[in-house]
Amino acid sequence: MSFEEGIQQSEKAYEKFVEVSSMFSDTVNHAFIFTWQWWLGVTLFIIPWILWFTLRKKESTGRLLLGGFITIILSITIDLVALSLGLWSYPMVITTISPLLFLPYHFSLAPVAIMFALQIKPGTNPLIKGIIFSAIAAFVGMNIFDLIDFYNPKGWSTFYDFFIFLTLYYAAYMVSNLDSFESLK
């Protein structure tokens, strides 16, 4: 295949991607919108952030947000790779705009849960906290989402999810504990 043929192939793939996005949009608009599952998804976007803003350790807001942002970036990256490989899927989509990206897991549940875990008992051994957090997220959270059709593991082991959550937790832990912060003034 030549470079030009590759460009043409790439454009055909983008056309199919637009078609897939249109199918997701149609699904949201005609099957999911205003169902209890859709409302739950919207709630899972909003309520965790409201809770975090009211219950966060205010003196550590910047550090916690940095941990939350790294969680968002890594969780989206991991999901995009896994979705493109067909390892798992999210059958219940909430929004018509970038339905594979704008999920409550990426932008709300994972980062807020990790930020709460980071601020609770900060002197505790991070290995123990990471293991407890990851066990709850993987073995409880992901199985609940599977039961209500928010997540389809397609044979993906929850044990693997445990290690993904452990990686997310430790990345956020390391970034939020950096000592290289200095005022820009």
Side-chain angles (χ1 to χ4, degrees):
M1 175 182 304
S2 71
F3 180 78
E4 285 301 319
E5 291 170 331
I7 294 292
Q8 290 172 356
Q9 180 89 0
S10 178
E11 286 300 325
K12 286 180 185 176
Y14 275 113
E15 288 173 13
K16 288 185 179 191
F17 181 73
V18 169
E19 186 179 327
V20 167
S21 289
S22 178
M23 288 174 66
F24 274 120
S25 180
D26 187 55
T27 302
V28 170
N29 288 329
H30 296 101
F32 294 156
I33 199 162
F34 303 127
T35 62
W36 72 266
Q37 295 93 333
W38 184 84
W39 282 112
L40 177 61
V42 170
T43 301
L44 292 175
F45 259 114
I46 298 167
I47 297 299
W49 282 108
I50 292 171
L51 290 173
W52 185 78
F53 277 110
T54 57
L55 301 174
R56 76 187 188 282
K57 185 176 178 186
K58 285 150 185 71
E59 310 81 43
S60 300
T61 297
R63 287 182 180 276
L64 292 169
L65 280 174
L66 189 60
F69 289 144
I70 196 73
T71 303
I72 291 169
I73 291 166
L74 289 175
S75 68
I76 287 174
T77 303
I78 291 167
D79 267 354
L80 287 177
V81 170
L83 290 169
S84 69
L85 295 173
L87 298 177
W88 63 70
S89 67
Y90 298 106
M92 178 63 202
V93 290
I94 309 301
T95 179
T96 59
I97 301 166
S98 293
L100 298 178
L101 289 178
F102 291 119
L103 294 169
Y105 325 105
H106 303 135
F107 287 98
S108 189
L109 292 175
V112 170
I114 286 176
M115 289 187 297
F116 273 129
L118 289 171
Q119 77 177 25
I120 295 170
K121 296 196 179 269
T124 303
N125 182 331
L127 177 62
I128 293 170
K129 281 178 61 174
I131 288 170
I132 292 169
F133 168 78
S134 301
I136 293 169
F139 299 115
V140 177
M142 296 308 287
N143 286 323
I144 289 172
F145 287 129
D146 184 16
L147 285 173
I148 62 173
D149 293 323
F150 273 45
Y151 170 65
N152 178 2
K154 296 184 177 188
W156 181 262
S157 172
T158 305
F159 192 67
Y160 299 149
D161 287 330
F162 171 83
F163 286 105
I164 289 172
F165 282 111
L166 194 59
T167 301
L168 293 174
Y169 177 83
Y170 278 115
Y173 172 80
M174 289 185 335
V175 169
S176 67
N177 282 288
L178 289 173
D179 286 331
S180 61
F181 287 98
E182 188 173 313
S183 176
L184 294 173
K185 293 179 186 176

